[in-house]
Amino acid sequence: MAFMIAQRAFIKLYLITMVEQHRGYGYEMLEAMKQEFKAYGYVPPQSEIYRALHELVQQGVFYRTKKLKGSDPKVDFQEIVLYHFTDDGAEKAELYKKQVKADLDRCLGMLHKAEEDNYGVKGR
């Protein structure tokens, strides 16, 4: 068993939630995660975001579609890749989230114990 939750598992958890919320494409997801975790000094590596998305596609959780970024095809030529759940992807995602939740709970327990044992901080 790993010491703490793996970075890719953590990233996949957030990517799944963002797809559930219909929040954008890969680069937008990266920027959203950067903003979310800026206060904690964590910047998710772009390469890890795309590896995690690729794995979720390979695992049959997501499929990709492409579309032009803007609304005017005469002017907007940038193509983006959107991620969606496959037919059984939402079920697979929910199972994955349950597994990660158990790991997060274990990690939180360890962190709270370390905080209490070493800094006298109690009651979280």
Side-chain angles (χ1 to χ4, degrees), residues 5-48:
I5 186 170
Q7 176 178 242
R8 186 137 342 131
F10 183 81
I11 289 171
K12 283 181 179 180
L13 175 67
Y14 273 86
L15 295 174
I16 287 169
T17 299
M18 286 187 226
V19 169
E20 287 172 344
Q21 297 168 347
H22 307 288
R23 288 180 53 197
Y25 51 95
Y27 184 75
E28 272 187 336
M29 292 182 209
L30 170 64
E31 290 301 312
M33 284 188 71
K34 282 181 180 180
Q35 281 302 116
E36 290 287 325
F37 295 102
K38 187 178 187 177
Y40 303 101
Y42 174 66
V43 178
Q46 182 174 345
S47 60
E48 284 299 310

Side-chain angles (χ1 to χ4, degrees), residues 18-106:
M18 286 187 226
V19 169
E20 287 172 344
Q21 297 168 347
H22 307 288
R23 288 180 53 197
Y25 51 95
Y27 184 75
E28 272 187 336
M29 292 182 209
L30 170 64
E31 290 301 312
M33 284 188 71
K34 282 181 180 180
Q35 281 302 116
E36 290 287 325
F37 295 102
K38 187 178 187 177
Y40 303 101
Y42 174 66
V43 178
Q46 182 174 345
S47 60
E48 284 299 310
I49 298 289
Y50 287 104
R51 281 187 190 114
L53 285 166
H54 183 72
E55 282 182 12
L56 289 165
V57 169
Q58 283 184 323
Q59 294 164 347
V61 177
F62 293 162
Y63 71 93
R64 305 170 214 205
T65 60
K66 292 182 180 183
K67 77 171 222 169
L68 293 177
K69 186 175 180 180
S71 58
D72 185 356
K74 294 176 187 170
V75 179
D76 301 311
F77 298 108
Q78 185 179 4
E79 197 171 61
I80 58 173
V81 176
L82 299 172
Y83 293 87
H84 316 273
F85 286 115
T86 60
D87 289 341
D88 62 344
E91 292 171 29
K92 289 179 181 179
E94 194 57 39
L95 177 60
Y96 185 79
K97 285 176 77 169
K98 284 180 184 175
Q99 292 168 344
V100 172
K101 173 74 167 107
D103 208 18
L104 281 173
D105 288 343
R106 181 185 62 78

